[in-house]
Amino acid sequence: MGEYLLEVQGLKTYFKTKAGYVRSVDGVSFGVRPGEKVAIVGESGCGKSVTALSIMRLIEQPPGEYIDGSILFDGQNILDLPERAMRKIRGGKIGMIFQDPMTCLNPTMTVAQQIAEGLQIHLKLSRGEAHRRAISLLEQVGIPDAAKRANSYPHQFSGGMRQRVMIAISLACNPKLLIADEPTTALDVTVQAQILELISGVCHDFGTAVILITHDLGVVAGMTDRVVVMYAGKVVETAPTDELFANPRHPYTLGLMASIPRLDEARTSDLKTIEGAPPNLIQPPTGCPFMPRCVFARNICRTMPPLEAVAGQSTHVKACWVDVTDPQTREQAERRRLARMELKQGIIKEAALQTAEEK
């Protein structure tokens, strides 16, 4: 697919606190090719949004610090650019859809003014041209009666319509890359599907590359070309979307897959979860950060595994010492999982009996 449009190499973004540095993004590397749709997935707190904000250079300093690494966009390391040069890229060549449009849109400006602002700054359009272009963009993202609604304020729109306005703003200057950070948060299921379909369709029309950040693997299954799985600030697996769903190779990815509810199993099995909690990012564990929660864990996991290609799959890489496809290994892991569940249920029952006796 050609050279990378965006290439993140060894990125480390930490936050300084009184207790020490929070290693929110700790050595992340991945790339996005022109026109490619890449998903970054993982549970809350794994570093997805901080990675996105780092690419946009929107991390507040202090407390945030870019400790190490590089972010190459169109061959330039944007971490080395002065803020004035970064402003030409931000909103121009790179657009971003934030999680909550209500807090991102200016309540004192009409939606047309907010779209036109970027057009006047980056494309040097006149006020009249920018206003007409704003109306056209609102029509493209499905705002009914766009000419009239262009003069409305954000509070006069529903949540789904506000998110459509955010999409119009982010795509106004025909960016090469669009970052969508949880673009369907707080929207109902029907509107979620409409928003995702809109992003996919519009970006296809413009030839825009997309980074979709989400914790929901089901959302990315039919929309993206490749998936980057993050855990505790690190990339643990990367593969083409179809390959990842068909052949996950990291225990954390297996856990995410298993946690997706299935209609054919709804009445026959309990919802599977990943036991335990993410590690403390101020004092992360040595070795693999997923080891304390992993049913596949071995002594070798006390040493951090490198991110290496899966045998016979140059586009599929994982950071794990264990072959999770080995039948004996999977059988042992399942026994460990069941043993942990029995122990947990025993602790819950004991606590319930103790509470009953105290009453």
Side-chain angles (χ1 to χ4, degrees):
M1 290 182 65
E3 296 298 321
Y4 286 113
L5 171 67
L6 174 78
E7 191 169 8
V8 179
Q9 299 176 335
L11 178 65
K12 294 184 178 182
T13 305
Y14 295 177
F15 292 88
K16 191 173 184 179
T17 69
K18 291 181 180 180
Y21 279 101
V22 178
R23 304 180 183 187
S24 297
V25 174
D26 196 16
V28 165
S29 299
F30 67 94
V32 181
R33 296 181 176 88
E36 187 179 28
K37 298 181 179 69
V38 176
I40 302 179
V41 302
E43 60 194 330
S44 298
C46 71
K48 306 184 301 295
S49 293
V50 175
T51 299
L53 293 173
S54 298
I55 294 170
M56 295 293 288
R57 279 267 301 273
L58 290 175
I59 298 294
E60 188 175 351
Q61 303 179 72
E65 294 182 26
Y66 300 109
I67 300 295
D68 196 9
S70 61
I71 303 173
L72 301 176
F73 179 75
D74 262 354
Q76 288 183 301
N77 184 3
I78 62 177
L79 293 181
D80 293 337
L81 295 178
E83 179 59 23
R84 186 172 182 178
M86 189 62 209
R87 287 176 185 170
K88 294 180 180 179
I89 294 175
R90 190 189 300 127
K93 294 182 179 180
I94 305 177
M96 185 165 182
I97 304 170
F98 295 90
Q99 289 189 32
D100 185 3
M102 194 59 189
T103 58
C104 297
L105 294 171
N106 190 330
T108 67
M109 297 172 64
T110 66
V111 296
Q113 288 173 330
Q114 295 184 60
I115 298 171
E117 186 177 36
L119 293 167
Q120 290 175 281
I121 292 172
H122 295 288
L123 302 184
K124 307 301 181 185
L125 299 185
S126 66
R127 181 179 297 182
E129 289 174 329
H131 184 78
R132 288 190 291 273
R133 171 68 174 153
I135 293 172
S136 175
L137 283 162
L138 290 174
E139 290 174 345
Q140 282 183 285
V141 298
I143 300 292
D145 199 7
K148 183 178 179 181
R149 297 305 300 276
N151 297 315
S152 299
Y153 292 86
H155 71 272
Q156 296 174 301
F157 287 80
S158 66
M161 289 299 176
R162 283 196 293 268
Q163 196 61 287
R164 290 172 185 270
V165 172
M166 282 295 300
I167 294 170
I169 293 173
S170 65
L171 294 173
C173 298
N174 298 332
K176 294 183 177 181
L177 174 66
L178 175 67
I179 302 174
D181 186 6
E182 301 278 9
T184 57
T185 298
L187 301 178
D188 64 57
V189 177
T190 304
V191 178
Q192 283 183 21
Q194 293 173 353
I195 294 299
L196 291 171
E197 185 178 352
L198 174 63
I199 293 171
S200 182
V202 173
C203 289
H204 179 269
D205 293 341
F206 285 102
T208 306
V210 180
I211 296 177
L212 175 65
I213 295 173
T214 181
H215 61 271
D216 187 349
L217 277 173
V219 166
V220 307
M223 179 179 171
T224 60
D225 303 310
R226 196 155 46 88
V227 183
V228 176
V229 183
M230 286 187 66
Y231 181 78
K234 298 179 182 295
V235 174
V236 296
E237 187 167 11
T238 303
T241 303
D242 292 343
E243 166 66 15
L244 188 84
F245 276 81
N247 192 25
R249 290 300 191 95
H250 194 281
Y252 178 62
T253 310
L254 286 173
L256 290 180
M257 297 287 191
S259 68
I260 300 173
R262 295 174 58 95
L263 291 175
D264 58 345
E265 296 179 356
R267 297 179 180 272
T268 59
S269 63
D270 295 329
L271 181 66
K272 294 180 181 179
T273 61
I274 301 175
E275 297 294 332
N280 181 353
L281 294 183
I282 295 178
Q283 295 179 324
T286 56
C288 176
F290 190 59
M291 181 182 175
R293 305 172 70 184
C294 183
V295 293
F296 291 88
R298 300 176 180 178
N299 286 333
I300 193 174
C301 300
R302 299 183 188 278
T303 303
M304 183 64 196
L307 196 63
E308 293 182 331
V310 172
Q313 294 284 344
S314 60
T315 58
H316 190 164
V317 298
K318 65 166 185 172
C320 184
W321 296 112
V322 181
D323 180 8
V324 298
T325 63
D326 179 67
Q328 186 176 354
T329 301
R330 296 192 77 140
E331 185 179 341
Q332 292 173 351
E334 182 62 16
R335 286 201 297 267
R336 287 183 190 174
R337 187 184 72 83
L338 293 174
R340 288 185 181 184
M341 286 182 62
E342 289 178 6
L343 178 61
K344 180 181 177 181
Q345 289 170 358
I347 293 172
I348 292 172
K349 287 180 181 179
E350 186 178 341
L353 288 172
Q354 186 176 351
T355 301
E357 289 175 359
E358 290 175 354
K359 290 182 179 180

